[in-house]
Amino acid sequence: MEVAYYPGCTLKTHAKEFEKAALKAYRAIGIELKELDKWYCCGTVYSLAKDNIMYKVASVRNILNAQKEGFDCLIVLCSMCYNTLKQAQEFIKDESNLARIKAFMDEEEYKGIEILHGLELLKDKMEEIKKAVKKPLNRKYAAYYGCTLLRPKSVAIDSYEKPSIMERLIEALGGIAVEWPLKNECCGSYNIITNKEIVVERVRHIIENARQRGAEAIVTSCPLCYFNLKECQKDVKRIYPGFEEMPLYYYTELMNEAFNGKFDKGENNNGS
Amino acid sequence: MLLEKVEEISGENLYACYQCGRCTAGCPMTGEMDLMPNQIILAILRNDESVLDAKTPWVCAQCYQCGVRCPKNVDIAKIMEALREIKLRSNVNYIDLKKINKSYPQIAIVAAMRKFTG
Amino acid sequence: MKLSMANLIKVKIIMGVNMTRIGVYVCHCGGNISDTVDVEEVAQFASKLPDVVVVRSISHMCSESGQKAIIDDVREYKLDRVVVAACSPQFQGSTFEKALVKAGLNPSMVEMANIREQSAWPHYETPEEATEKAKVLTAMAVERIRRTKPVEREAIKIGKNVLVIGGGIAGIQASLDLANAGFNVFLVEEKPSIGGHMAQLSRTFPTEDCASCILSPKMADVADHPNIHLLTYTEILDISGSVGNFKVRLKQKPRYVDPSKCTACGECEKVCPVSVPDEFNLGMTKRKAIYLPSPTAVPHAHVIDENACLGIVPLRCGLCEQACEANAINYDDTPKYINLDIDTIIVATGFEIFDASKKPQYGYGRFQNVITALELERLIVEAAEGHFIRPIGKDIAFIQCVGSRDKQVGNLYCSRICCMYATKLASLLKRADPSRDVYIFYTDLRAYGKGFEEYYRRAQELGVKFIRGRPGELQEDPETKKVIVRVEDTLTRKIIEKKFDLVVLSVGLVPSKGTLKIAEMLKLPRSSDGFLKEAHPKFRPVDTPIEGVFVAGTAQGPKDIPDTVAQASAAAARAMAIMNRGELELSPIKAIVYEEKCDGCGECIEACPVDAIKLNGKARINAAICKGCGACISSCPRDAIDLKIFSNDEIMAEIEAAVKNKKEGEHRILIFADDMCTYTLADGVGTSKMKYPSDTFIIRVPSSSRITPKMMIKAFELGADAIFLGECEEAVSPYPGTLNVIKENVEKAREILKQAGISPERIQYDTFVTVMFPKFVKIANKLHEIAESEEISKEKRMRLREIEVVR
């Protein structure tokens, strides 16, 4: 099965391994992620100001373009891009909003397109996933959703207080999903640019909580959460010397590990 | 007046807030805030302009935990955005673009630019 | 009787039989009318109207002498109908109806022209306009009364059988009141015992009475009372019919234990091999398949849960029968189907607590130390008996407003009792062990009732800590299993994070499944909060919109025990009021089918919002159910349905009198006002002396749904410039479902106007409640503007005549 796929800027650079692993993992269960011909930066994060049209142009343009390329379903892997595009879609469901914003682009009519996150595609594919597993993971993982996958309610891919998609994926891959309360707690997001100390505190809080519940690794879907959690661990260690580092995975990397029997990291690119 | 501007930009009805404090209870960033989210709302309702100098809107991570829990369905994240916009639209940047660490992921940089520059 | 010649304007001597003879009385109202309206001019004008035989102008029509004038004139001049041009019919209408009855006439034969609230008062600044309007209003009343037919008041026989649905405290109280007054009560309860939720409580606020102790005597009275037929373990299969004639079908489930023989010794329980969760203790303890529903159960006998039992047919175990010395067990028991003839019904089906698992952030069902308040009640009761089901601990937190005042779960209302019951439970825990640390996390502390504020004060003195803040979520410490609460103390502006041994969720109330089921069965409307809707929020709090069906207790909305008992007695009194005389007089405003025109097409059946019409060859209207709204009229393609009072002829006559004979440059705006809301509102506007254009004429109707498209178009044909239909807002409307009919009728009429080239804007409709004075004035002004903006040409009005209007 072939689906249209929107990568977003980060997946092509910082989070290359996320995409590489995704293409391989989805292919293994029969889904071909076909990248859109033309796509633009989604303009994360979604602008909440009611009167701010310009900040929404980038996202809307992507949606209309995907439709122009003939797709009626669009898969997004980056959680932040997913959140932004989905909220933009809610925005243009209102006819008057659509009319105002179309004035700024060449794209045509909006007929409606389904925007899904990569994890949603896997909801009904648990059997295929189980079949594709060569070596069960056998480790305790904490599924970390962050905020963008579950909030606001209009974009949530699962229950925003008790999500279970990633847990079911982990179990299907042979791992043990750990129950922990901070699975949907914000990592600090873009504060990493301005107030790194805040993110450091958040990261420590999240990792310690996961560890307390027995997790041996954290699984995530958002490149920024991944980056924050990875980058700040050294800072946490500096401030709290007893802190032990916690390994981090993208969920697609986990899928590959289970499917291929070894961990396929791919290139780890820190350049921009 | 401050209240009108905030209501216009956010589209939220601040009068619905009855100060139950659930937003603050769920917010992950309160440790860094000087004014709590529900205190911010109260200050805006009283047209107290000093709220524009608070640290709180600049620490908000737009995680939506507040809006999703509010029993009156007030989206506090939108109110924080409105406060930021009021400051930024007067041609002021919250961050110095030269000082951004360019080796960080794009989503962080783009997001920071959208939230913190006018 | 010597007639005073002073106020006699005219007497017309007319010969002939079967002629209409109208008396018109113009009231000065002690200056209230005559200061603005030239009453003599109006009287002169009236004397020239057709069939008017007597005209008088009198200072106070409602006084003894005024009424006497009517009565004497009726006798002297053989009047058969009367018009009183005075105040509003809502004000003194019944006075004149009674006067007519004294004079020997049918009370329907009087019509009031409202020249006070609708002319003298609102148009006090323009006396000439007021007088002209008063003349037209009088002409409208005269033309209408000429078409009025005397309507006989119908009465139905009503007996003494009452069905009380629900055996909680509301049902128990209502049953006792009715039974003590000599009525025949059938109390139906679906559980094997009566008592409801009150039987599960420990103590009741604010007196801390033991709940079972004060309830048990009442339950025993119910069981003993000769006038109460107690039917427990019984479900209602069907209810049909109407007041005085309800047919109820019940199914009494088999207990397999004969209550008259069972001594509740409990030997059977000892040998029963099956253990299941005990519902009375909310699943926290176990019971056997054969069990006593509760320690205070009435009937006080065991019952076999056939779903839990290993098997009765065929018999798999049989140990309980062997153990029973009283020989009370009967495996051959079967369901009993019972049919009842019932006159009135009281719905007392109660509440359920909010399902706390719907708020996953509080961890109910996942964390072992998070429980609901009702579970805590049971823990306290059992602990007092020496059964310690689970440890309660030292550090306890109550979280208020769980499932109430919360848009996220869709319950916007306040459940009224939670602040007080939490205060009570906290006080009980603190008193039992003062070393405990008890917190209540509240949003508002609602202590509104008698003794409540004082009780709250005593709780504070006991050391219960009240913190104003609403926790976002709870977390569980994985080792100790203690519950971590994070909350902002909104009064000190500090964030608190504390660990508790036990967190109690103060859950709100939601309508019980039984309530929802009965609502559907009886077609009872529900308010926006989901509970049963009362007929009028202020003046009829225990009536439902269905005649003969009353509601009591928490089925109508969350409330505490004193309010429930008061409502139960009120419902019993209301039921008694209509059953007491053995006869129930129905309102004369009902729909009627003219059988010679009816062809049995059945369109009216679907149009009727209360299902009062059945097809039996021809359409037949059940007068007991019919509410007299007239929504059916616009559905009949044969003009075969009409209202007995406010009939087509009467209304058309009023319309015609209002719009014809208008002078050059004048306009006529018609407002059809429903009696309950819009007409009352218009009167209120006049009483407040608020001004609006005097070319506005208000026509009173029971519901605006009785105005058909045909009538609206005819009005325009005859000279109307704008039409408005006013109806009650749904929340307070006595007629369910009429707004859709009005909307449809207006749309149809607008289409026809468009065809004739007339702006469809000239017909409008809206809803009101009686306090919306400015809204009414605004609408009257708007319609006046629309009428002034353009004249409707004669050609266009003629064009309307050519367009065929099918009802």
Side-chain angles (χ1 to χ4, degrees), chain C residues 326-340:
Chain C
N327 264 331
I329 297 184
N330 172 19
Y331 295 127
D332 295 324
D333 204 356
T334 49
K336 281 189 229 15
Y337 293 92
I338 306 171
N339 289 331
L340 295 175

Side-chain angles (χ1 to χ4, degrees), chain C residues 274-475:
Chain C
V274 179
S275 255
V276 287
D278 183 352
E279 306 90 341
F280 195 73
N281 271 343
L282 305 163
M284 293 190 295
T285 54
K286 294 231 187 291
R287 62 159 170 86
K288 296 299 179 73
I290 184 166
Y291 66 109
L292 187 64
S294 78
T296 53
V298 166
H300 202 69
H302 280 62
V303 59
I304 298 182
D305 175 0
E306 60 184 10
N307 294 325
C309 174
L310 292 175
I312 299 181
V313 177
L315 192 59
R316 294 234 161 79
C317 168
L319 287 173
C320 50
E321 194 192 22
Q322 293 171 24
C324 180
E325 290 181 10
N327 264 331
I329 297 184
N330 172 19
Y331 295 127
D332 295 324
D333 204 356
T334 49
K336 281 189 229 15
Y337 293 92
I338 306 171
N339 289 331
L340 295 175
D341 286 321
I342 295 289
D343 299 294
T344 55
I345 301 177
I346 298 185
V347 178
T349 42
F351 71 92
E352 273 164 18
I353 55 170
F354 172 76
D355 177 4
S357 60
K358 288 199 180 136
K359 287 216 75 72
Q361 57 261 54
Y362 288 151
Y364 180 71
R366 289 185 293 142
F367 303 158
Q368 67 190 56
N369 288 324
V370 174
I371 63 173
T372 63
L374 195 56
E375 286 170 336
L376 181 60
E377 298 271 357
R378 293 311 306 158
L379 291 180
I380 292 178
V381 175
E382 293 286 345
E385 310 272 325
H387 312 138
F388 295 95
I389 299 175
R390 55 152 293 152
I392 292 180
K394 296 276 184 192
D395 296 314
I396 304 162
F398 286 81
I399 298 182
Q400 301 304 108
C401 303
V402 176
S404 314
R405 305 183 71 193
D406 191 344
K407 206 157 183 177
Q408 303 297 341
V409 296
N411 294 346
L412 291 171
Y413 55 88
C414 165
S415 289
R416 265 176 98 107
I417 60 172
C418 332
C419 283
M420 287 311 294
Y421 76 52
T423 307
K424 168 198 75 182
L425 288 167
S427 303
L428 292 175
L429 291 175
K430 214 39 188 153
R431 228 182 275 126
D433 180 357
S435 71
R436 285 188 172 129
D437 202 12
V438 183
Y439 283 80
I440 298 185
F441 295 107
Y442 68 96
T443 307
D444 288 291
L445 216 278
R446 296 186 160 169
Y448 54 87
K450 195 163 179 172
F452 289 8
E453 196 65 39
E454 297 88 321
Y455 189 68
Y456 168 34
R457 172 72 190 273
R458 286 207 297 282
Q460 286 177 306
E461 285 166 10
L462 273 175
V464 175
K465 297 183 181 143
F466 289 87
I467 305 265
R468 189 185 182 278
R470 215 159 169 176
E473 64 180 4
L474 303 179
Q475 292 180 19

Side-chain angles (χ1 to χ4, degrees), chain A residues 42-60:
Chain A
C42 67
T44 204
V45 286
Y46 187 69
S47 166
L48 293 177
K50 200 169 86 162
D51 53 0
N52 201 333
I53 290 271
M54 289 314 290
Y55 272 25
K56 299 180 173 110
V57 166
S59 333
V60 175

Side-chain angles (χ1 to χ4, degrees), chain B residues 18-19 25 30 38-39 71, chain C residues 407 468 470 486 488 493:
Chain B
Y18 55 29
Q19 294 288 301
T30 50
N38 59 337
Q39 294 169 352
Chain C
K407 206 157 183 177
R468 189 185 182 278
R470 215 159 169 176
R486 183 168 188 254
E488 183 202 11
R493 302 300 187 189

Side-chain angles (χ1 to χ4, degrees), chain A residues 239-258:
Chain A
I239 304 175
Y240 302 92
F243 179 76
E244 274 169 48
E245 302 207 2
M246 171 86 79
L248 227 44
Y249 298 96
Y250 286 110
Y251 75 90
T252 50
E253 290 177 330
L254 227 59
M255 285 167 79
N256 269 339
E257 186 176 334

Side-chain angles (χ1 to χ4, degrees), chain A residues 1-237:
Chain A
M1 146 174 161
E2 203 183 69
V3 289
Y5 154 61
Y6 172 90
C9 355
T10 317
L11 253 70
K12 290 293 181 188
T13 53
H14 264 268
K16 260 213 211 95
E17 59 266 26
F18 188 6
E19 187 189 47
K20 273 200 163 74
L23 292 171
K24 214 167 165 186
Y26 278 79
R27 195 170 292 143
I29 55 168
I31 301 178
E32 206 42 58
L33 293 173
K34 186 164 181 304
E35 189 176 317
L36 283 176
D37 246 349
K38 209 162 80 160
W39 55 267
Y40 319 90
C41 171
C42 67
T44 204
V45 286
Y46 187 69
S47 166
L48 293 177
K50 200 169 86 162
D51 53 0
N52 201 333
I53 290 271
M54 289 314 290
Y55 272 25
K56 299 180 173 110
V57 166
S59 333
V60 175
R61 198 187 249 157
N62 272 309
I63 298 175
L64 295 183
N65 183 58
Q67 217 193 239
K68 192 154 94 169
E69 293 197 16
F71 295 108
D72 49 26
C73 178
L74 187 63
I75 304 297
V76 190
L77 288 181
C78 167
S79 305
M80 285 181 87
C81 296
Y82 167 74
N83 187 297
T84 311
L85 288 175
K86 195 93 195 214
Q87 286 203 66
Q89 188 187 41
E90 290 299 313
F91 177 72
I92 55 174
K93 275 193 183 150
D94 183 325
E95 301 256 325
S96 58
N97 287 338
L98 181 58
R100 273 159 73 206
I101 204 167
K102 269 204 298 182
F104 298 101
M105 53 191 81
D106 297 328
E107 273 72 0
E108 310 145 10
E109 296 302 305
Y110 171 67
K111 278 179 243 108
I113 182 170
E114 207 184 347
I115 300 182
L116 293 176
H117 185 267
L119 281 169
E120 289 184 277
L121 259 193
L122 300 178
K123 254 197 234 185
D124 305 316
K125 296 269 181 209
M126 290 298 160
E127 289 307 315
E128 284 90 331
I129 293 174
K130 283 197 192 124
K131 276 201 208 102
V133 173
K134 283 218 196 71
K135 177 163 179 265
L137 293 172
N138 252 336
R139 225 174 151 194
K140 291 207 190 129
Y141 297 92
Y144 181 58
Y145 294 83
C147 28
T148 45
L149 277 183
L150 300 172
R151 299 188 288 269
K153 278 197 255 187
S154 51
V155 310
I157 63 170
D158 201 353
S159 152
Y160 63 92
E161 295 286 355
K162 276 179 66 192
S164 62
I165 284 188
M166 252 199 265
E167 280 83 348
R168 280 191 285 135
L169 174 63
I170 294 172
E171 313 233 305
L173 295 174
I176 301 167
V178 149
E179 214 16 75
W180 64 305
L182 296 187
K183 60 170 84 163
N184 55 3
E185 180 99 340
C186 179
C187 65
S189 191
Y190 47 82
N191 276 299
I192 187 89
I193 303 276
T194 49
N195 292 314
K196 193 166 175 191
E197 327 79 62
I198 299 179
V199 183
V200 170
E201 267 309 309
R202 293 276 95 225
V203 164
R204 170 176 168 265
H205 198 54
I206 291 170
I207 295 185
E208 280 303 326
N209 194 286
R211 199 199 313 282
Q212 202 193 35
R213 301 300 163 124
E216 297 170 84
I218 295 184
V219 187
T220 181
S221 160
C222 171
L224 189 52
C225 290
Y226 185 95
F227 179 82
N228 280 351
L229 285 169
K230 216 175 179 93
E231 172 76 12
C232 294
Q233 288 197 46
K234 351 188 202 31
D235 299 90
V236 176
K237 204 157 180 178

